[in-house]
C-alpha cells in the first residue's frame, strides 16, 4: 500500500522524532477529538490562571471553531484577572447560542465569573466553583492573592499600629509585599466585581431576570461565601444553571480521562497556562 492509499489520519505531518517528543500532546488532542465525535460538540480545554495576556491565545482556540458548532469549554483555574475572564466569556458567546462550561475539578474566583456566562455548567461529584473573589497578582511572589485578603491584612495591621505605634517597624515589615498600588488595586477590583457579575450573567442567551441577577450577585460576594466550595447542589440552589453527569457515565469518563492528562502534566496549582482543542495546543507562562 502506498502512502497515498493510507487514511489521512494515519499519516503524521510531523517528523518522527518531533512527533515522538510531543506524543502526550497528540494523545490529549485525540481524546478531545473522541469527545467531540461522541457528543457532536466542539471542545476547548483551559488549565491555569487567567491573566490579561491569556485573551489573545484563547481567541486563537475559540475562533478556530465554527460559530455554528455548540461549544464546550473545559475549565480548571483558581482565578485571576476578572476583566480577562469576562472578555473570554464574551468571545465564547459571539454568534453562538449554545455554550457550556465543564468543570472537572475547580473553577474559582474569575473562573467562576467566566462560568456564569455559560448556558449551563456541567458538573459531577469532583466539581467545585468558588466565590467571585477577585485575585490580585503580586509580582514579588509571582502569584495571585485574594483582594479581600489583601485589604483585611492591611486594615488589621493598620489597626494594630494605631494601638501600638512602637511596633510600627515590625508591622511594616509584614507588609513589605503590599504597596499602596496593590492595596488600591484590590479595592478597585472588589468594587468592579459588583458590576461584572450582572454583566456576565446577561451574556447568556436566556439571561436571568433582575431579581435573580441581584440574588446571585449578593450570594457570590457574601462574607459567608468567602473561600467556600460550591458543589453541584449549592450551585443549583444559587440559581446557576447546571447539568450533573454521574461519575461513572460514559461522557464523564471521557472528560475525566482527559482531565487526568492535564493534572499529571501541570499539577494542582499550575503557574503556566495550557489551552488546547483538536487543532490548537498552546502552553505558555
Amino acid at each position: 500500500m502506498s502512502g497515498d492509499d493510507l487514511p489521512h489520519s494515519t499519516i503524521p505531518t510531523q517528523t518522527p522524532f518531533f512527533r515522538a517528543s510531543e506524543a502526550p500532546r497528540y494523545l490529549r488532542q485525540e481524546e478531545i477529538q473522541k469527545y467531540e465525535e461522541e457528543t457532536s460538540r466542539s471542545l476547548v480545554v483551559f488549565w491555569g490562571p487567567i491573566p490579561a495576556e491569556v485573551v489573545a491565545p484563547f481567541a486563537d482556540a475559540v475562533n478556530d471553531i465554527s460559530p455554528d458548532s455548540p461549544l464546550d469549554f473545559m475549565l480548571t483555574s483558581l482565578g485571576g484577572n476578572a476583566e480577562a475572564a469576562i472578555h473570554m466569556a464574551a468571545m465564547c458567546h459571539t454568534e453562538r447560542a449554545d455554550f457550556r462550561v465543564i468543570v472537572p475539578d475547580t473553577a474559582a474566583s474569575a473562573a467562576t465569573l467566566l462560568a456564569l456566562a455559560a448556558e449551563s455548567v456541567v458538573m459531577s461529584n469532583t466539581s467545585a466553583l468558588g466565590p467571585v473573589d477577585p485575585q490580585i497578582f503580586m509580582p514579588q511572589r509571582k502569584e495571585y492573592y485574594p483582594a479581600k485578603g489583601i485589604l483585611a491584612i492591611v486594615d488589621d495591621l493598620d489597626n494594630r499600629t494605631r494601638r501600638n505605634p512602637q511596633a510600627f517597624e515590625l508591622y511594616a515589615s509584614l507588609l513589605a509585599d503590599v504597596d499602596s498600588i496593590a492595596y488600591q488595586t484590590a479595592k478597585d477590583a472588589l468594587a468592579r466585581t459588583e458590576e461584572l457579575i450582572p454583566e456576565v450573567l446577561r451574556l447568556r442567551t436566556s439571561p436571568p431576570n433582575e431579581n435573580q441577577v441581584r440574588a446571585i450577585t449578593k450570594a457570590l460576594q457574601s462574607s459567608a461565601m468567602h473561600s467556600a466550595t460550591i458543589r453541584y447542589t449549592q450551585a443549583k440552589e444559587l440559581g446557576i444553571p447546571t447539568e450533573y453527569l454521574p461519575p461513572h457515565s460514559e461522557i464523564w469518563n471521557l472528560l475525566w480521562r482527559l482531565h487526568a492528562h492535564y493534572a499529571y502534566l501541570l499539577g494542582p496549582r499550575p503557574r503556566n497556562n495550557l489551552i488546547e482543542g483538536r487543532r490548537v495546543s498552546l502552553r505558555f507562562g
Side-chain angles (χ1 to χ4, degrees):
M1 180 180 288
S2 68
D4 291 338
D5 296 327
L6 290 171
H8 178 71
S9 61
T10 66
I11 306 174
T13 57
Q14 305 83 13
T15 66
F17 270 81
F18 181 84
R19 188 170 183 85
S21 69
E22 296 294 327
R25 181 196 305 266
Y26 301 127
L27 179 58
R28 295 193 301 269
Q29 289 183 305
E30 287 174 7
E31 296 275 6
I32 290 172
Q33 185 171 345
K34 184 183 297 185
Y35 174 85
E36 292 182 336
E37 291 170 351
E38 289 289 331
T39 62
S40 299
R41 304 179 66 86
S42 296
L43 178 65
V44 171
V45 179
F46 182 96
W47 190 294
I50 304 177
E53 57 268 23
V54 84
V55 173
F58 182 73
D60 195 55
V62 173
N63 293 342
D64 189 57
I65 297 171
S66 168
D68 297 326
S69 175
L71 173 62
D72 281 351
F73 178 26
M74 192 164 89
L75 176 62
T76 301
S77 174
L78 296 178
N81 186 299
E83 300 291 345
I86 198 169
H87 195 168
M88 292 163 64
M91 283 193 289
C92 290
H93 265 295
T94 302
E95 302 177 8
R96 180 179 288 107
D98 193 348
F99 162 49
R100 303 191 306 183
V101 166
I102 299 168
V103 182
D105 191 337
T106 302
S109 192
T112 296
L113 183 68
L114 200 164
L116 292 176
E119 302 308 313
S120 65
V121 181
V122 180
M123 305 177 73
S124 189
N125 64 335
T126 56
S127 309
L129 299 173
V132 181
D133 187 1
Q135 309 285 302
I136 305 301
F137 185 70
M138 304 296 290
Q140 300 91 331
R141 296 179 178 267
K142 298 182 179 180
E143 291 213 21
Y144 284 89
Y145 289 87
K148 287 181 181 177
I150 292 172
L151 296 187
I153 291 172
V154 174
D155 292 343
D156 177 59
L157 293 180
D158 180 60
N159 290 332
R160 292 189 187 193
T161 301
R162 292 175 188 275
R163 294 196 301 268
N164 185 10
Q166 289 76 19
F168 174 78
E169 291 187 7
L170 171 62
Y171 294 144
S173 67
L174 296 175
L175 290 174
D177 290 345
V178 183
D179 58 20
S180 59
I181 295 176
Y183 182 78
Q184 187 60 46
T185 300
K187 288 184 67 175
D188 293 344
L190 285 169
R192 176 68 173 130
T193 300
E194 293 187 10
E195 302 171 344
L196 285 174
I197 295 177
E199 187 176 332
V200 78
L201 286 169
R202 294 185 183 110
L203 288 174
R204 294 182 196 165
T205 303
S206 302
N209 61 45
E210 290 306 307
N211 288 335
Q212 291 171 321
V213 168
R214 283 193 291 270
I216 293 172
T217 301
K218 182 178 179 180
L220 289 176
Q221 290 191 289
S222 69
S223 56
M225 192 65 70
H226 181 58
S227 299
T229 297
I230 303 171
R231 303 291 182 181
Y232 166 74
T233 53
Q234 290 93 341
K236 194 171 183 179
E237 289 169 0
L238 287 172
I240 299 171
T242 54
E243 296 179 46
Y244 182 80
L245 289 182
H248 298 296
S249 63
E250 182 179 355
I251 297 303
W252 189 257
N253 276 330
L254 284 174
L255 292 167
W256 191 250
R257 285 201 302 269
L258 180 59
H259 174 74
H261 286 287
Y262 299 103
Y264 180 77
L265 176 68
L266 297 173
R269 292 181 63 88
R271 296 185 180 183
N272 297 336
N273 291 97
L274 197 139
I275 302 171
E276 285 189 332
R278 67 189 306 174
R279 295 200 325 140
V280 176
S281 182
L282 303 168
R283 184 177 179 181
F284 53 96

